[in-house]
Amino acid sequence: MIDGQPYRQVGDVAPARIVLVADHASNFVPDEVELGVDPSLLDNHIAVDIGVEGVADRLARRHGIPAHIACVSRLVCDLHREPDNPAAVPTTSDGHLIPGNIGADFDRRIRTYHAPYHDALAKWLDATNPALIISLHSFTPKLESAGEQREVEIGLLYNQDDRAARHAIRLFSEQNLNVGDNEPYSGKELNATMNRHAEAHGRPYCAIEIRNDLISTEAGQARFAAMIADIAGRVLLALETE
């Protein structure tokens, strides 16, 4: 964590047309938390959105899109869940038991990690006053608890507000990618951060899911950072000319 906080912000906290949020960018587990899992699982998709931190940093440092980036593993506290959702402190994930979270002090986890992250995000968004928010995640090609291979390469998720997603689906499809429309899962079921910080305020957003094998290397991260920056700019232009 940075200065004891479960987030870091890259780029100027000033008015910005496009900003980025990465809820699952870190696999860090504070010393005070004992998850009771094999350490190798911290590099698994159940602990971190593989590749997202690299893409987010490139977007902020090289493409001028400021980023609010999580600094704690989703196994410690899932910041992309509502604060009263039991899954915010998961006891299982993709078939793996998280024994240290069974009987954990749920309210303390929320106070220590979830609330500071979202309070800071709310203030940051008010300060940057963005015209478009990018919410960035990655997903595994195949869940261990399910047999089907996910053929989608990039997905656009949304709940009620699909203004930006519709443009982004078209633009990513033009890159010869297999694009999912509310796939590999639906934003109508899982959209907590954007429901709270975008839809509740009428802010357009693109919730982007990238298959993690495509961004597991620096080359892949650089490729998708450049692509997302370009498409985000074109989505914003389309929104402004509607």
Side-chain angles (χ1 to χ4, degrees):
M1 298 204 299
I2 305 298
D3 297 326
Q5 296 298 331
Y7 64 89
R8 60 189 176 94
Q9 294 171 344
V10 185
D12 292 335
V13 182
R17 289 169 58 73
I18 306 172
V19 300
L20 181 139
V21 179
D23 296 325
H24 294 155
S26 176
N27 66 353
F28 178 73
V29 179
D31 290 340
E32 65 183 29
V33 176
E34 178 54 61
L35 296 174
V37 300
D38 188 310
S40 66
L41 285 178
L42 296 181
D43 293 321
N44 186 280
H45 76 96
I46 70 168
V48 60
D49 277 4
I50 295 165
V52 161
E53 186 171 32
V55 177
D57 267 318
R58 281 170 172 78
L59 281 163
R61 300 182 190 280
R62 302 183 186 182
H63 298 283
I65 296 178
H68 180 91
I69 301 173
C71 294
V72 65
S73 173
R74 64 194 300 177
L75 293 182
V76 174
C77 186
D78 194 330
L79 304 169
H80 189 39
R81 297 293 187 276
E82 294 81 4
D84 59 351
N85 187 332
V89 181
T91 55
T92 64
S93 182
D94 196 13
H96 294 278
L97 184 68
I98 317 300
N101 285 349
I102 298 173
D105 188 334
F106 183 92
D107 290 341
R108 186 170 189 273
R109 294 275 184 98
I110 297 299
R111 288 196 309 270
T112 304
Y113 306 108
H114 196 284
Y117 177 87
H118 284 280
D119 289 348
L121 176 55
K123 293 176 182 177
W124 183 74
L125 289 171
D126 286 343
T128 55
N129 191 29
L132 177 66
I133 303 172
I134 302 297
S135 173
L136 188 63
H137 292 265
S138 72
F139 64 94
T140 186
K142 185 178 180 180
L143 291 169
E144 295 177 44
S145 56
E148 293 184 1
Q149 189 80 14
R150 290 164 157 176
E151 299 300 333
V152 169
E153 293 172 296
I154 192 165
L156 275 297
L157 278 55
Y158 52 89
N159 186 3
Q160 300 299 316
D161 186 354
D162 66 352
R163 287 175 292 170
R166 290 297 172 197
H167 292 295
I169 289 167
R170 171 178 54 83
L171 292 168
F172 278 114
S173 296
E174 291 173 359
Q175 301 299 313
N176 294 318
L177 291 168
N178 186 341
V179 181
D181 181 344
N182 256 345
E183 294 181 34
Y185 48 84
S186 174
K188 297 184 183 301
E189 298 173 358
L190 182 57
N191 201 51
T193 297
M194 289 299 95
N195 283 344
R196 177 173 177 175
H197 296 285
E199 292 209 355
H201 299 272
R203 294 164 172 154
Y205 67 93
C206 283
I208 299 174
E209 289 270 356
I210 307 171
R211 204 175 66 201
N212 64 28
D213 60 316
L214 301 177
I215 53 172
S216 60
T217 65
E218 290 189 5
Q221 292 162 17
R223 174 196 174 206
F224 273 88
M227 186 188 306
I228 290 169
D230 175 63
I231 288 177
R234 292 159 68 189
V235 167
L236 181 54
L237 180 61
L239 290 172
E240 292 177 336
T241 56
E242 285 182 341

